[in-house]
C-alpha cells in the first residue's frame, strides 16, 4: 500500500489514547544504525516531548536510516504516530515550521516466525512550512500483526537541529495498538 501521512486526527490526536494504546517499551527491543550522543533511540519512547532521538547515520543513495523492532510476542498495530523534530518561527506571519529529519518517504516492513522482512506500506508526504503539525499519523490500511517491524526513513528532510545533515530524528514515536 502507498498512503499519505497526515496531521493527527481523532484518537491519534489524543495523548491519553496514544499513551494507553502504545506498545510498552518493556515489550520490544529497538535497534538503529547509530544514534547521536545524548539522543539515543530510547528518547523516542520516553513520553517526554522535550527529548529527541537523532540518528548518527546520514541517509545516502545506498544507506537508509532504520529502526528495527523485535517484539516479545506477536503484536498488532493500527498506526505509527510521530512527534517530529521541528523549529517554529513564531515571528513569521503566518507562523512557519521547519521539520528536521522528517521522513518524506517512510517504508514499513514486517516479519514473523523468523521469515524475511516484507514491505507492508509506503508512506509519503511533507508538511508545508505553514502546517504546524505537532504529531503526524501513519495509519495502515490493513492492520499489522508481526513479531518484527522495520521502519525505514527512506527520504528525510535536512536535520538542522541535530547536525545539519540528512539524518532521521523525532521526539516521540508511538506504535499504536488497537484498543
Amino acid at each position: 500500500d502507498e498512503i499519505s501521512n497526515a496531521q493527527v486526527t481523532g484518537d491519534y490526536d489524543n495523548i491519553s489514547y496514544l499513551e494507553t494504546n502504545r506498545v510498552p517499551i518493556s515489550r520490544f527491543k529497538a535497534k538503529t544504525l547509530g544514534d547521536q550522543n545524548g539522543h539515543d533511540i530510547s528518547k523516542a519512547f520516553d513520553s517526554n516531548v522535550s527529548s529527541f532521538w537523532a540518528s548518527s547515520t546520514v541517509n545516502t543513495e545506498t544507506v537508509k536510516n532504520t529502526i528495527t523492532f523485535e517484539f516479545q510476542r506477536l503484536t498488532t498495530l493500527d498506526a505509527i504516530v510521530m512527534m517530529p523534530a521541528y523549529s517554529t518561527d513564531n515571528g513569521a506571519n503566518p507562523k512557519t515550521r521547519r521539520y528536521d529529519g522528517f521522513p518524506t518517504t517512510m517504508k514499513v516492513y514486517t516479519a514473523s516466525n523468523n521469515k524475511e522482512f516484507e514491505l507492508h506500506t509506503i508512506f509519503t508526504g511533507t508538511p508545508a512550512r505553514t502546517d504546524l503539525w505537532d504529531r503526524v499519523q501513519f495509519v495502515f490500511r490493513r492492520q499489522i500483526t508481526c513479531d518484527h517491524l522495520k521502519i525505514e526513513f527512506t527520504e528525510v528532510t535536512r536535520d538542522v537541529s541535530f547536525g545539519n545533515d540528512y539524518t532521521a530524528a523525532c521526539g516521540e514515536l508511538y506504535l499504536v495498538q488497537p484498543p
Side-chain angles (χ1 to χ4, degrees):
D1 293 338
E2 188 162 332
I3 303 173
S4 294
N5 61 43
Q7 181 176 16
V8 290
T9 59
D11 287 335
Y12 301 127
D13 194 22
N14 179 326
I15 287 289
S16 178
Y17 178 88
L18 293 174
E19 289 291 343
T20 299
N21 292 291
R22 85 185 314 174
V23 178
I25 195 165
S26 61
R27 290 213 354 242
F28 65 81
K29 293 179 188 167
K31 289 191 247 181
T32 67
L33 299 181
D35 306 326
Q36 291 185 28
N37 191 26
H39 299 288
D40 59 274
I41 189 60
S42 68
K43 304 285 188 198
F45 314 107
D46 65 0
S47 301
N48 179 351
V49 298
S50 299
S51 68
F52 295 86
W53 166 66
S55 173
S56 61
T57 303
V58 176
N59 266 23
T60 66
E61 288 295 318
T62 56
V63 176
K64 306 299 180 189
N65 272 283
T66 58
I67 305 172
T68 304
F69 297 88
E70 180 183 339
F71 298 112
Q72 289 181 348
R73 59 180 180 260
L74 278 177
T75 300
T76 299
L77 302 175
D78 285 333
I80 297 168
V81 173
M82 174 188 296
M83 186 197 96
Y86 58 80
S87 177
T88 305
D89 183 349
N90 291 312
N93 186 11
K95 293 178 185 177
T96 60
R97 184 167 283 175
R98 181 194 72 233
Y99 295 88
D100 292 340
F102 183 86
T104 58
T105 301
M106 185 174 93
K107 295 180 180 176
V108 178
Y109 298 85
T110 61
S112 294
N113 303 319
N114 298 313
K115 293 187 177 162
E116 295 293 315
F117 278 106
E118 291 184 9
L119 180 61
H120 185 279
T121 305
I122 301 171
F123 292 99
T124 58
T126 308
R129 288 186 56 77
T130 53
D131 288 335
L132 303 181
W133 297 0
D134 293 335
R135 287 182 304 283
V136 180
Q137 65 184 32
F138 304 86
V139 181
F140 302 111
R141 192 168 285 135
R142 301 170 284 129
Q143 281 184 335
I144 285 179
T145 300
C146 60
D147 58 24
H148 286 77
L149 179 80
K150 180 165 56 174
I151 301 172
E152 178 185 279
F153 294 79
T154 313
E155 300 292 333
V156 296
T157 59
R158 182 180 294 276
D159 182 4
V160 177
S161 295
F162 303 104
N164 202 31
D165 216 330
Y166 292 93
T167 53
C170 71
E172 284 296 299
L173 192 64
Y174 299 90
L175 303 178
V176 186
Q177 304 175 98

